[in-house]
Amino acid sequence: MQGQVVKKVVVAGGGTAGWMAAAALSRHLGSLLEITLIESDDIGTVGVGESTIPTARTFNALLGIDEREFMRTTQSTFKLGISFENWGQVGDRYIHSFGQVGKSTWMGGFHHFWLQAKAEGFAGDLGDYCFELQAAEAGKFATSENANINYAYHLDATLYGRFLRKMSEGKGVRRVEGKIRSVRQNAQTGFIEALVMESGEEVEGDLFIDCTGFRGLLIEQTLKAGYEDWSHWLPTNSALPLQTRSVGPAMPYTRAMAHGAGWQWRIPLQHRVGNGFVYCSDYMSDDEAQAQLLANVEGEVLTEPRVIRYKTGKRRKTWDKNCVALGLASGFVEPLESTSIHMIMIGILRLMQLFPFSGCSEALMDRYNEQADAELEKIRDFIILHYKVTERSDTPFWDRVRTMEVPEPLAHRIALFRDSGQVYQSPGELFQVDSWLQVMLGQRLEPKGYHHMGRLMPPAQLRQSLVDLKGNIDRAVNSLPTHQAFLEQYCPADAT
Ligand SMILES: Cc1cc2nc3c(=O)[nH]c(=O)nc-3n(C[C@H](O)[C@H](O)[C@H](O)COP(=O)(O)OP(=O)(O)OC[C@H]3O[C@@H](n4cnc5c(N)ncnc54)[C@H](O)[C@@H]3O)c2cc1C
């Protein structure tokens, strides 16, 4: 048996990705590793990334994080889904919630019953049969140890980083502050041996985790892993984040409001609201974006808008030689479905599962990279769906995305749903059937056919089952406190 070849782990970068990696590695493999994290106060972090999906709870649980303490410290609120506004047509609105819609059977999804009922003229909205969606609409929320409710968090990215830093340092992670000036590589293998700081200090390691943000200091600038550009499918390339003071109770959902050349987000936290404009610079100037954003925020503006540029895509290899890239260094798909923090988490878990104790072999890297690619490509397709399936033709941007060619697997999914009402979740895919369904129907993709299992029961029975389902959901929602009231009682954040 080989000895332990990889013991010293160096995390380059102290944004959300860097501190998530340091916190997880130190908690689970800390006794076998020496972990150092380098971050630069001068460079700072990207400072956005505040809306999550329910897997954030799994990550917190793995880290043994107490939910109330986490929420108080990071000014978090609860999130039950995303309200999509102006996507199918200007004036449209639907919620993509984290909940299950109705009750499915082995033969097919609940929506086939619903489509039957709709054809017979007695179905409500699909969302009437989803508890999380109705709670979101009503601005209500509660959870407890035994509650079966699917939710995620809105959090303050800077405070989250600080929270994870404290945990990591408590578990022995050494933090080095300063700028990395250069990277020392082995002359024969190209493996990274040390990061050379501006101070002259050299931080040596066996495995390097590149969390340096868009610049990809190790994975791209040093190892030249290459970048696969997806901007022909996802052409937005600019974002303008802006924070405002809260003006009303926090709603338990993110808002994603489409505009003429992209969309705008609104994320309610306990102490403030995160806003931002995502747009394609081919169709909108920075000045126009800023003017539209400022005209469409509520409450006092707390920060200066600043443009962030990006190119949608991914590194050709996220693990190359002895370097694994996480977060923005590994690639970027716009935050429409809040998937980036999830991808960081999945990357960290996979790294821990495949940890190269005996050295970084090609086979190990290939395994890691294949899985990372497969997951991200499916997320990418789900995001493209939001642009492709639209009736909007009011601007050149929407004409472009509505008429573009999409990846073949996505084209097939759209055709399948349109023809037969069939939806599926591939193995290892993040988004479940109900997510695809809510977005496709929400964006006006009406299926021409559906499974006729609903006809196996008499219409009166089908009608009664739907009435009962809705009644149960309405009663459960009515019994909940408002989200704001629950926050104030469960996890009130410190005043800022
Ligand atoms: C506009 C926008 C909105 C987003 N919204 C969401 C969202 O709602 N939900 C979601 O899940 N994700 C979102 N994301 C993604 C999310 O912000 C990132 O995945 C997350 O913040 C991780 O960033 P990071 O740690 O990779 O990079 P960064 O935050 O950029 O951190 C980089 C780190 O590297 C350090 N560094 C860089 N160069 C050097 C050097 N030479 N020497 C020393 N240190 C260095 C920096 O100091 C910093 O600590 C969004 C991203 C963008 C751009």
Side-chain angles (χ1 to χ4, degrees):
M1 195 184 77
Q2 267 186 303
Q4 183 174 345
V5 177
V6 172
K7 188 169 167 59
K8 285 188 195 156
V9 176
V10 179
V11 181
T16 303
W19 283 117
M20 280 175 75
L25 284 167
S26 59
R27 175 161 176 103
H28 289 284
L29 294 176
S31 61
L32 303 177
L33 305 174
E34 282 169 31
I35 306 167
T36 304
L37 182 143
I38 302 173
E39 65 179 327
S40 157
D41 291 345
D42 281 355
I43 296 177
T45 66
V46 72
V48 282
E50 309 204 310
S51 188
T52 66
I53 57 175
T55 50
R57 287 165 54 213
T58 316
F59 188 74
N60 280 2
L62 275 172
L63 265 57
I65 289 173
D66 174 78
E67 182 172 78
R68 289 180 171 204
E69 188 199 342
F70 157 75
M71 293 193 70
R72 271 198 299 270
T73 316
T74 58
Q75 298 275 357
S76 293
T77 63
F78 293 99
K79 173 182 172 189
L80 291 167
I82 303 175
S83 162
F84 285 93
E85 297 161 36
N86 303 323
W87 285 83
Q89 271 289 3
V90 174
D92 281 3
R93 176 171 178 272
Y94 69 93
I95 290 188
H96 168 201
S97 79
F98 298 135
Q100 263 195 350
V101 187
K103 287 198 177 86
S104 298
T105 73
W106 66 268
M107 203 185 290
F110 164 82
H111 66 284
H112 295 291
F113 290 109
W114 176 75
L115 286 165
Q116 182 66 45
K118 210 168 156 232
E120 294 186 29
F122 53 77
D125 288 339
L126 186 75
D128 288 354
Y129 311 104
C130 176
F131 169 65
E132 283 81 352
L133 194 151
Q134 288 307 313
E137 284 288 18
K140 300 235 180 152
F141 187 87
T143 185
S144 65
E145 252 173 40
N146 301 321
N148 185 19
I149 177 165
N150 281 311
Y151 65 89
Y153 309 109
H154 299 124
L155 50 83
D156 179 313
T158 306
L159 298 178
Y160 185 46
R162 264 184 230 160
F163 180 82
L164 294 174
R165 173 179 163 189
K166 197 170 156 203
M167 283 185 65
S168 307
E169 290 184 318
K171 288 272 175 202
V173 172
R174 181 171 81 101
R175 172 180 181 265
V176 175
E177 197 286 315
K179 269 192 207 161
I180 301 163
R181 191 184 57 207
S182 61
V183 178
R184 196 180 80 213
Q185 287 173 274
N186 181 289
Q188 269 86 48
T189 61
F191 273 45
I192 298 172
E193 292 178 337
L195 305 183
V196 185
M197 307 296 296
E198 278 192 343
S199 64
E201 183 189 351
E202 298 207 354
V203 182
E204 295 189 336
D206 306 313
L207 179 73
F208 292 81
I209 306 187
D210 187 349
C211 301
T212 58
F214 286 123
R215 52 176 65 71
L217 193 63
L218 314 187
I219 195 78
E220 194 59 55
Q221 292 185 19
T222 306
L223 298 178
K224 314 263 182 284
Y227 198 73
E228 195 173 314
D229 182 351
W230 289 340
S231 54
H232 48 296
W233 290 313
L234 292 169
T236 70
N237 57 11
S238 310
L240 265 175
L242 181 78
Q243 297 173 4
T244 52
R245 204 176 291 287
S246 308
V247 289
M251 293 308 275
Y253 54 80
T254 301
R255 287 178 70 188
M257 301 165 267
H259 58 71
W263 59 283
Q264 176 181 344
W265 78 77
R266 192 172 295 172
I267 300 173
L269 303 177
Q270 291 194 46
H271 59 328
R272 63 164 170 81
V273 174
N275 308 271
F277 222 63
V278 173
Y279 55 103
C280 176
S281 61
D282 296 353
Y283 302 96
M284 186 177 277
S285 69
D286 297 340
D287 288 347
E288 271 175 278
Q290 180 164 330
Q292 285 196 27
L293 172 64
L294 288 170
N296 198 28
V297 291
E298 294 170 340
E300 183 193 345
V301 172
L302 301 174
T303 53
E304 283 288 312
R306 69 194 158 95
V307 179
I308 298 174
R309 297 265 188 242
Y310 58 83
K311 186 191 279 181
T312 301
K314 67 162 188 73
R315 296 276 168 238
R316 291 194 188 280
K317 285 181 171 181
T318 39
W319 182 342
D320 197 9
K321 300 191 190 297
N322 61 337
C323 172
V324 178
L326 290 173
L328 301 173
S330 68
F332 184 64
V333 171
E334 62 182 78
L336 188 56
E337 287 281 357
S338 326
T339 43
S340 295
I341 293 174
H342 164 83
M343 286 305 295
I344 298 171
M345 172 192 108
I346 291 292
I348 295 169
L349 299 190
R350 187 180 305 116
L351 176 61
M352 291 198 292
Q353 286 162 347
L354 299 176
F355 197 85
F357 287 105
S358 316
C360 296
S361 77
E362 283 289 335
L364 211 46
M365 282 178 227
D366 289 348
R367 176 80 186 136
Y368 182 97
N369 288 332
E370 269 165 31
Q371 289 183 333
D373 288 355
E375 274 157 10
L376 192 59
E377 279 168 21
K378 290 186 189 100
I379 290 175
R380 173 202 69 193
D381 285 0
F382 188 59
I383 306 298
I384 298 173
L385 175 78
H386 297 66
Y387 288 104
K388 174 68 183 171
V389 177
T390 179
E391 290 178 2
R392 282 191 69 156
S393 57
D394 52 309
T395 63
F397 172 83
W398 287 103
D399 276 341
R400 170 171 165 186
V401 293
R402 195 191 67 251
T403 56
M404 70 184 163
E405 293 281 323
V406 298
E408 200 283 322
L410 175 60
H412 173 73
R413 276 184 200 258
I414 294 173
L416 182 71
F417 185 68
R418 192 193 309 109
D419 296 346
S420 62
Q422 294 289 345
V423 200
Y424 64 91
Q425 179 184 13
S426 315
E429 175 166 3
L430 172 66
F431 288 103
Q432 302 183 352
V433 164
D434 287 346
S435 289
W436 285 91
L437 190 64
Q438 290 177 74
V439 175
M440 289 198 281
L441 286 168
Q443 303 222 175
R444 297 173 170 253
L445 184 63
E446 291 288 331
K448 287 189 235 146
Y450 55 88
H451 194 292
H452 285 204
M453 63 194 195
R455 288 173 57 211
L456 297 172
M457 62 167 84
Q461 193 185 336
L462 179 59
R463 182 198 291 249
Q464 193 55 47
S465 332
L466 292 180
V467 168
D468 292 348
L469 192 57
K470 181 173 178 334
N472 289 341
I473 289 172
D474 289 349
R475 273 189 295 283
V477 169
N478 283 338
S479 70
L480 294 173
T482 66
H483 173 236
Q484 183 67 39
F486 187 73
L487 283 174
E488 286 166 14
Q489 165 256 307
Y490 183 77
C491 52
D494 304 333
T496 50

